[in-house]
Amino acid sequence: MKNSLERLSRRDSIKLAAAAFAAAAIAPRLAFADEKAVAAEIKKLYGDKAMGQGRIKLDVPEIAENGLVVPIGVEVESPMTDADYVKAVHVFADGNPQPGVVSYQFTPACGKASAATRMRLAQTQDVICIAEMSNGDLFSAKANVKVTIGGCGG
Amino acid sequence: MSTKPTPRVRVPAKAAAGELIEIKTLISHEMESGQRKDVKGGTIPRKIINKFTASFNGKPVFVADWNPAISANPYQSFFFKAAESGEFTFAWKDDDGSEYTAKSKLTVG
């Protein structure tokens, strides 16, 4: 099982690299989201509620060579008991065509509010993360990711 | 690159009660973002997996709503606190309505 997973990801990375070149060759000018679009999305979810800082560990690379596959890990500090747990986590990117990246719903059964995936980033931009606790408290975190377009190290 | 999506899941077969285990999932899927143009200049329609759900013994544990910003062949990992033996059901929902599922057993003790 372990091997098949590793083999797949290696094969996929080759496929993805090929796709990246194809996409770069035919990509037209796209309209991108901005900070305002992200703020609007957050407002849609939570209104003007105040956000706390801290408690979120946003794990993204400082420099991403390939914007098509950027690893992202989110971890929110919480006891994850029935009385006090992380309910939802939303991730946004302010320089992509659409601001939303992923939304997670956690339950106390998770034991730890942590999840990781891989995302596409169209250009160098900020990644914004909002965590909603079971008591309604909100926390936010932000990280900048520099994207080297084309993935050839230039 | 249009093949039938194949889910792959890595779950430990055994865990001690109260142990925190990490679950890693991967599914082959092009995750067509709806942003790309074909050679003729027309937009290639969006076709992504928009929802991933993990349940244990029928109870939802973890849900991820994916947007087009998620990479092709989406990977997702998360944690689970083992309490009792049972079976995980993982489900991926496609824009076209199809659903791909995988199951794995966990023995606690």
Side-chain angles (χ1 to χ4, degrees):
Chain A
M1 197 66 205
K2 189 178 174 185
N3 280 335
S4 71
L5 255 180
E6 279 168 0
R7 264 207 306 279
L8 179 88
S9 57
R10 203 155 43 230
R11 210 184 306 138
D12 286 343
S13 60
I14 295 165
K15 264 195 242 160
L16 282 168
F21 279 111
I26 58 168
R29 278 256 155 257
L30 296 165
F32 293 112
D34 54 15
E35 278 169 56
K36 277 189 215 139
V38 172
E41 288 288 317
I42 296 169
K43 200 168 170 175
K44 228 190 277 170
L45 287 168
Y46 298 117
D48 287 317
K49 229 172 151 224
M51 308 256 170
Q53 295 295 315
R55 286 185 73 168
I56 303 176
K57 214 178 104 201
L58 188 55
D59 189 12
V60 286
E62 255 178 66
I63 298 171
E65 292 219 345
N66 182 0
L68 272 179
V69 210
V70 183
I72 171 166
V74 180
E75 192 177 331
V76 186
E77 217 178 281
S78 164
M80 294 303 272
T81 58
D82 286 340
D84 182 5
Y85 63 97
V86 180
K87 218 166 121 187
V89 167
H90 305 276
V91 179
F92 303 98
D94 67 8
N96 271 357
Q98 288 165 17
V101 175
V102 65
S103 293
Y104 294 127
Q105 288 161 48
F106 291 100
T107 60
C110 293
K112 184 175 169 185
S114 175
T117 184
R118 295 170 191 148
M119 63 181 168
R120 295 171 171 141
L121 292 180
Q123 56 183 342
T124 295
Q125 57 186 292
D126 283 336
V127 174
I128 298 109
C129 177
I130 309 289
E132 183 192 0
M133 305 296 160
S134 52
N135 65 3
D137 283 357
L138 300 177
F139 289 86
S140 80
K142 192 158 111 172
N144 187 266
V145 183
K146 289 188 173 56
V147 177
T148 317
I149 294 171
C152 299
Chain B
M1 239 173 89
S2 196
T3 48
K4 198 185 173 296
T6 320
R8 280 154 209 257
V9 177
R10 199 195 294 174
V11 181
K14 278 185 196 162
E19 192 183 334
L20 203 56
I21 57 171
E22 188 176 15
I23 293 156
K24 296 179 175 178
T25 70
L26 192 65
I27 184 162
S28 55
H29 193 282
E30 57 265 63
M31 295 292 274
E32 189 57 62
S33 68
Q35 299 288 337
R36 296 198 306 143
K37 307 265 179 176
D38 59 23
V39 277
K40 291 186 196 122
T43 306
I44 304 172
R46 172 183 138 153
K47 188 183 181 292
I48 67 165
I49 293 174
N50 54 56
K51 202 180 208 50
F52 166 75
T53 315
S55 325
F56 188 71
N57 288 344
K59 276 209 309 212
V61 171
F62 173 84
V63 178
D65 287 295
W66 287 337
N67 287 305
I70 295 299
S71 302
N73 305 314
Y75 166 84
Q76 183 68 63
S77 72
F78 61 97
F79 287 85
F80 180 73
K81 198 171 187 178
E84 47 174 0
S85 297
E87 192 178 42
F88 284 103
T89 307
F90 305 98
W92 291 261
K93 231 192 213 147
D94 200 306
D95 272 349
D96 70 5
S98 22
E99 194 171 69
Y100 320 109
T101 53
K103 285 178 192 286
S104 25
K105 284 199 163 67
L106 175 74
T107 310
V108 172

